[in-house]
Amino acid sequence: SAKEQGKAWHIVFNPAMYDRAVALLKLETDLRWAIARQELQVFYQPIVSVATSKITGFEALIRWQHPEKGFISPAEFIPVAEETGLIIQIGQFVLSESCQQLKRWHKEFPQLQHLSMNINLSGRQFSQRCLVEEIQQLLQEHELDPSSIKLEITESAIMSSPEQAANILQQLKALGISLCIDDFGTGYSSLAYLHCFPIDVLKIDRSFTNRIDSDGEQLAIVRAIVTLASNLGMSVVAEGVETVNQLVQLRLLKCDQAQGYLFSRALSSDKISLLLGNGE
Ligand code: C2E
Ligand code: MG
Ligand code: MG
Ligand code: MG
């Protein structure tokens, strides 16, 4: 009806939405510049063994230092990068930087060959034709053992196109790379369904980890995830561990690894080198 159309017209030209569209466009333009001006940097957050608290590897996390606006969170610009396709370039940058950095650490600290690198893959990157080839080339170029690379994919990236995902995951798996489900528990997939994919690691989302020391139901959920994962031959990483109490609970549950501010935030490669040089 005319009334509804009037309403729709009003929604489309809502000034707040217009402002948001302009802001997004500006962010996109800035992001293009950021790539050209090399304002993007990869930081590394330690992942530790729950049993020993020793570092087993890192998650590569992108950082953007904007010349005027200062630090911009990836939670803000990764979705824009996804929408505009810029994620492909950014993703290639993160893959190449983090593989190179892992090799440097392996060379610098020969006793730490076990250190691995987790790298986030966005949905769009994941459905890119030459992804498998690119990763294979990086492994060769940096002479990395494929098992030291762990790719993180969200449930929604897999479930948006399960058949294609299964195919790519099989190819990546065939290279010898490990595959992780990121933010596990926040998507809509079931563990039974995930079993159809060659997944090695579940990363429990921090919304669950957050409350395991205060909320019995959250504890029960995490316990169920750890048990099922172990029955399916997968290992479990708890994300967002911030308190000693949470770590104690994770030890009792025999969760394999953890990551969070309790241990360390994501740091520059220089700071991580210092940390590793000091024997962690
Ligand atoms: P994610 O992959 O789930 O990464 C974990 C996020 O949790 C990181 O936020 C990390 O800094 C944060 N975190 C870790 N421990 C704690 C904790 O104890 N407490 C709290 N409150 N937060 C913690 P960050 O770096 O801001 O990244 C946000 C998201 O942006 C990532 O979530 C990931 O989805 C995306 N992202 C970051 N870097 C990349 C990238 O290189 N490529 C892609 N495709 N996505 C990325
Ligand atoms: Mg991640
Ligand atoms: Mg996560
Ligand atoms: Mg996340």
Side-chain angles (χ1 to χ4, degrees):
S1 73
K3 197 177 170 190
E4 273 162 353
Q5 276 169 15
K7 211 169 168 187
W9 186 91
H10 181 71
I11 291 167
V12 171
F13 292 95
N14 180 318
M17 286 183 73
Y18 177 78
D19 289 349
R20 189 170 171 277
V22 171
L24 278 180
L25 199 62
K26 174 86 166 66
L27 193 64
E28 182 193 339
T29 313
D30 285 0
L31 194 51
R32 286 186 195 279
W33 276 105
I35 297 169
R37 289 183 188 140
Q38 300 178 314
E39 292 163 10
L40 297 177
Q41 210 184 332
V42 182
F43 272 39
Y44 302 92
Q45 184 177 35
I47 298 174
V48 307
S49 151
V50 164
T52 65
S53 293
K54 279 194 183 301
I55 299 180
T56 59
F58 305 94
E59 178 173 2
L61 293 162
I62 190 101
R63 295 290 175 261
W64 179 9
Q65 199 64 45
H66 190 284
E68 295 139 33
K69 293 180 200 152
F71 171 74
I72 301 180
S73 164
E76 195 177 327
F77 71 84
I78 290 287
V80 176
E82 280 248 0
E83 221 172 293
T84 56
L86 286 170
I87 190 68
I88 300 298
Q89 264 173 284
I90 294 175
Q92 281 167 346
F93 168 72
V94 174
L95 274 167
S96 135
E97 277 288 310
S98 54
C99 285
Q100 194 178 343
Q101 187 57 59
L102 182 63
K103 190 63 194 184
R104 282 199 206 110
W105 284 327
H106 282 176
K107 279 188 179 153
E108 198 177 344
F109 306 103
Q111 75 282 18
L112 300 180
Q113 298 303 312
H114 61 277
L115 289 181
S116 54
M117 186 66 75
N118 283 41
I119 306 166
N120 292 286
L121 284 188
S122 82
R124 186 120 170 205
Q125 240 180 318
F126 189 57
S127 52
Q128 206 200 349
R129 286 246 158 264
C130 44
L131 177 73
V132 179
E133 245 171 74
E134 273 174 25
I135 291 176
Q136 188 171 20
Q137 271 176 10
L138 280 171
L139 291 174
Q140 278 171 3
E141 182 185 342
H142 301 296
E143 296 174 309
L144 282 166
D145 183 340
S147 65
S148 65
I149 300 298
K150 306 186 180 189
L151 299 176
E152 298 191 4
I153 306 134
T154 60
E155 293 165 79
S156 48
I158 291 180
M159 295 311 167
S160 71
S161 163
E163 268 129 60
Q164 194 193 11
N167 184 278
I168 295 174
L169 291 174
Q170 292 295 354
Q171 291 182 52
L172 291 168
K173 190 70 203 156
L175 291 182
I177 285 171
S178 290
L179 302 170
C180 320
I181 299 291
D182 203 354
D183 306 338
F184 186 76
T186 60
Y188 46 82
S189 57
S190 71
L191 255 184
Y193 193 31
L194 279 179
H195 186 44
C196 305
F197 302 94
I199 302 299
D200 305 283
V201 183
L202 297 181
K203 295 192 75 176
I204 303 179
D205 190 70
R206 93 176 122 84
S207 58
F208 298 104
T209 313
N210 254 336
R211 292 170 8 221
I212 48 169
D213 49 352
S214 59
D215 183 333
E217 276 179 27
Q218 299 296 318
L219 181 65
I221 290 172
V222 173
R223 179 184 293 124
I225 295 175
V226 173
T227 305
L228 281 166
S230 127
N231 289 341
L232 294 175
M234 299 174 187
S235 72
V236 178
V237 181
E239 300 192 279
V241 179
E242 295 185 354
T243 70
V244 173
N245 264 339
Q246 288 164 359
L247 178 61
V248 168
Q249 293 297 340
L250 292 169
R251 274 203 186 130
L252 292 173
L253 294 178
K254 299 210 162 28
C255 177
D256 302 287
Q257 282 153 311
Q259 179 181 355
Y261 295 167
L262 175 65
F263 309 102
S264 172
R265 289 179 182 253
L267 302 170
S268 68
S269 57
D270 288 350
K271 290 213 170 117
I272 296 286
S273 295
L274 285 175
L275 204 72
L276 294 175
N278 291 334
E280 294 186 16

